[in-house]
């Protein structure tokens, strides 16, 4: 049914190409991005988006191209307006809803953000079917992703979740997990995002939002950081969906397998390659690159140190394939920030682990929670009396 078809609008690959073109450090990727962006804009006659792109200097303005796209937009919108007027005069609620959705989707496709949002919200108000209302909410979320509008994303994620709880079907429920996971990853809520992406791994259908390979890549990148080691093998290393894609994404295979197998020198190489080839070029992950790389290093150091009461700096440097001075400097920084539980004996060149007491940690947690509870009771008593 046409009502079940999820249109891949706006074309989210174009926002990635736009990001590539306005990022000075990605010059080696800009020729391909420029060609792909221009072809995508032409294919959907995206005059409003073309104006935004050329004003930023990402593409050279072409007045003839802009004029032809604007003319095509005007003609198409005129047809859609006539169809809507006819539906309002002679047809029923369902036909009016279809006409409103067609008009809203046209504005979404051409990248006219403000008018598209208004039109989609109007279509949402006039559409009775719960499934269609969920689809419109998901379209508004995609508009938010396309233009980097976090407020629009969060508003419509909440709306879509409300509709899903009212009776959304299995497919839309699974699509929403991908949308929520992608948003969580974009705002550095990696644990939440990782869980959602993993949960959707075997049921993924949201290709209007992200390609399957990019989805699996993001799932691997996020969950390699957040999963415990036993879960890393169970949920990633041996997952059929991951294994089927890894031949096309070899660097991600190197990353997760070398971390799991404790081949730390190879893991560091894979992490450095990942930083340059996936993280920095990604519109979604680029803002979190430094954080991610730092946390992955801490994870690897912690994993190795858990196996020893003490270990020499020389052994550590050999295990990670770096110099003793680098290991000394890196560990010192993480120890000072309370991220690694160990001490460095510079005289003897030894790192000694200082595992925190589990009982002490539990005691501190109880005391902290008790303080919070007492404060809440005191505030409540003031209100009551």
């Amino acid at each position: 049914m046409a009502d079940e078809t999820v249109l891949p609008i706006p074309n989210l690959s174009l926002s990635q190409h736009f990001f590539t073109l306005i990022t000075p450090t990605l010059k080696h990727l800009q020729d391909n991005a420029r060609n792909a962006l221009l072809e995508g804009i032409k294919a959907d006659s995206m005059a409003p988006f073309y104006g935004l792109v050329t004003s930023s200097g990402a593409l050279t303005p072409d007045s003839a191209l802009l004029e032809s796209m604007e003319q095509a937009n005007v003609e198409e919108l005129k047809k859609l307006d006539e169809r809507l007027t006819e539906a309002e005069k002679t047809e029923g609620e369902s036909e009016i809803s279809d006409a409103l959705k067609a008009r809203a989707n046209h504005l979404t496709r051409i990248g006219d953000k403000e008018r598209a949002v208004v039109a989609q919200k109007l279509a949402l108000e006039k559409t009775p079917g719960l499934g269609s209302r969920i689809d419109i909410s998901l379209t508004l979320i995609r508009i938010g992703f396309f233009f980097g509008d976090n407020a629009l994303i969060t508003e419509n994620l909440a709306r879509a979740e409300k509709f899903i709880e009212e009776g959304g079907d299995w497919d839309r429920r699974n699509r929403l997990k991908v949308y929520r996971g992608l948003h969580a990853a974009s705002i550095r809520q990696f644990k939440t995002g990782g869980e959602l992406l993993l949960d959707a791994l075997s049921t993924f259908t949201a290709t209007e939002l992200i390609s399957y390979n990019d989805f699996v890549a993001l799932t691997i990148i996020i969950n390699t950081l957040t999963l415990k080691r036993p879960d890393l093998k169970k949920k990633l290393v041996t997952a059929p969906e991951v294994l089927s894609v890894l031949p096309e994404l070899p660097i991600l295979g190197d990353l997760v397998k070398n971390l799991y197998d404790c081949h730390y020198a190879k893991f560091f190489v894979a992490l450095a390659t990942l930083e340059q080839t996936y993280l920095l070029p990604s519109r979604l992950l680029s803002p979190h690159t430094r954080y991610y790389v730092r946390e992955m290093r801490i994870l690897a150091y912690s994993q190795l140190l858990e196996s020893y009461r003490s270990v020499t700096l020389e052994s550590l440097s050999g295990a990670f394939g770096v110099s003793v001075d680098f290991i000394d400097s890196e560990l010192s920084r993480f120890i000072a920030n309370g991220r690694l539980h160990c001490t460095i004996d510079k005289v003897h060149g030894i790192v000694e682990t200082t595992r925190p007491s589990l009982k002490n940690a539990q005691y501190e947690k109880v005391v902290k929670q008790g303080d919070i509870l007492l404060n809440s009771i005191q505030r409540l008593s003031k209100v009551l009396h």
Side-chain angles (χ1 to χ4, degrees):
M1 291 176 61
D3 191 45
E4 300 295 323
T5 303
V6 180
L7 299 173
I9 57 171
N11 183 349
L12 284 158
S13 66
L14 300 186
S15 58
Q16 172 61 48
H17 296 318
F18 184 31
F19 169 79
T20 301
L21 289 173
I22 60 174
T23 305
T25 55
L26 300 178
K27 287 189 181 298
H28 60 294
L29 302 173
Q30 289 181 353
D31 286 344
N32 288 338
R34 187 175 293 106
N35 293 335
L37 179 59
L38 188 56
E39 288 306 310
I41 287 172
K42 287 179 180 178
D44 285 332
S45 295
M46 301 178 72
F49 184 58
Y50 182 70
L52 174 67
V53 169
T54 53
S55 67
S56 71
L59 289 177
T60 304
D62 182 336
S63 57
L65 173 61
L66 178 61
E67 187 178 342
S68 68
M69 291 192 296
E70 286 177 337
Q71 183 61 35
N73 292 166
V74 168
E75 290 172 3
E76 181 63 21
L77 195 59
K78 183 180 177 183
K79 292 177 187 176
L80 293 168
D81 285 339
E82 288 173 355
R83 177 181 165 190
L84 175 59
T85 301
E86 185 66 24
E88 289 172 336
K89 285 179 180 177
T90 63
E91 299 182 40
E93 187 179 68
S94 178
E95 289 77 12
I96 293 171
S97 171
D98 288 344
L100 285 169
K101 286 188 287 185
R103 187 178 188 279
N105 287 340
H106 166 69
L107 293 168
T108 301
R109 182 180 288 106
I110 65 174
D112 191 340
K113 181 191 175 188
E114 304 305 327
R115 294 169 75 194
V117 169
V118 171
Q120 291 288 357
K121 288 183 176 180
L122 178 60
L124 184 65
E125 289 175 17
K126 302 294 184 181
T127 297
L130 186 60
S132 293
R133 300 184 85 191
I134 295 170
D135 290 341
I136 294 169
S137 299
L138 295 181
T139 300
L140 283 162
I141 296 168
R142 292 198 302 278
I143 294 171
F145 276 121
F146 188 86
F147 290 100
D149 187 336
N150 194 55
L152 186 63
I153 295 169
T154 52
E155 174 193 345
N156 288 283
L157 277 174
R159 180 181 283 125
E161 287 178 51
K162 177 176 174 289
F163 289 151
I164 287 289
E165 291 308 312
E166 290 175 8
D169 59 44
W170 177 86
D171 178 64
R172 290 182 173 97
R173 192 175 293 270
N174 283 310
R175 284 180 191 276
L176 183 58
K177 285 179 186 175
V178 180
Y179 283 67
R180 289 174 58 209
L182 205 67
H183 178 245
S186 74
I187 58 173
R188 205 179 287 179
Q189 293 181 359
F190 286 160
K191 185 167 180 57
T192 300
E195 289 170 355
L196 288 163
L197 295 174
L198 262 183
D199 203 23
L201 192 58
S202 60
T203 57
F204 175 82
T205 56
T207 51
E208 75 281 0
L209 180 67
I210 184 172
S211 71
Y212 182 67
N213 278 16
D214 286 344
F215 167 74
V216 174
L218 183 63
T219 304
I220 295 170
I221 289 168
I222 300 301
N223 283 284
T224 301
L225 175 61
T226 58
L227 286 177
K228 300 293 184 184
R229 194 160 176 262
D231 291 329
L232 195 63
K233 182 172 185 179
K234 180 181 176 183
K235 296 181 178 180
L236 273 188
V237 176
T238 60
E241 296 84 8
V242 172
L243 291 173
S244 67
V245 173
L246 279 184
E248 300 173 54
L249 308 168
I251 193 59
L252 294 176
D254 291 344
L255 182 82
V256 66
K257 288 176 182 175
N258 285 318
L259 178 63
Y260 182 79
D261 294 334
C262 306
H263 298 151
Y264 297 112
K266 292 180 179 177
F267 167 76
F268 261 29
V269 172
L271 182 60
T273 306
L274 180 76
E275 179 182 10
Q276 296 301 318
T277 57
Y278 278 88
L279 302 181
L280 289 172
S282 167
R283 179 174 179 247
L284 181 78
L285 294 174
S286 181
H288 313 300
T289 297
R290 288 183 64 184
Y291 170 83
Y292 182 87
V293 171
R294 182 181 71 244
E295 293 301 310
M296 288 294 282
R297 284 178 175 173
I298 291 171
L299 177 63
Y301 292 138
S302 299
Q303 184 171 292
L304 186 146
L305 290 169
E306 280 175 5
S307 305
Y308 300 95
R309 187 172 293 276
S310 65
V311 61
T312 65
L313 283 169
E314 191 173 346
S315 296
L316 273 176
S317 69
F320 285 95
V322 295
S323 69
V324 171
D325 287 342
F326 179 88
I327 280 286
D328 183 14
S329 172
E330 184 109 310
L331 293 187
S332 297
R333 182 158 53 92
F334 294 144
I335 292 168
N337 292 332
R339 302 304 310 281
L340 291 176
H341 300 291
C342 58
T343 58
I344 299 175
D345 181 346
K346 286 293 294 286
V347 176
H348 299 98
I350 292 173
V351 178
E352 296 179 331
T353 57
T354 54
R355 294 180 182 85
S357 167
L358 180 59
K359 284 188 177 180
N360 286 344
Q362 290 173 335
Y363 174 75
E364 289 175 6
K365 184 178 179 181
V366 168
V367 171
K368 186 176 180 180
Q369 290 177 337
D371 286 341
I372 293 170
L373 179 60
L374 286 172
N375 289 335
S376 298
I377 292 171
Q378 287 173 349
R379 284 197 297 270
L380 180 60
S381 66
K382 289 178 182 177
V383 172
L384 294 175
H385 300 290

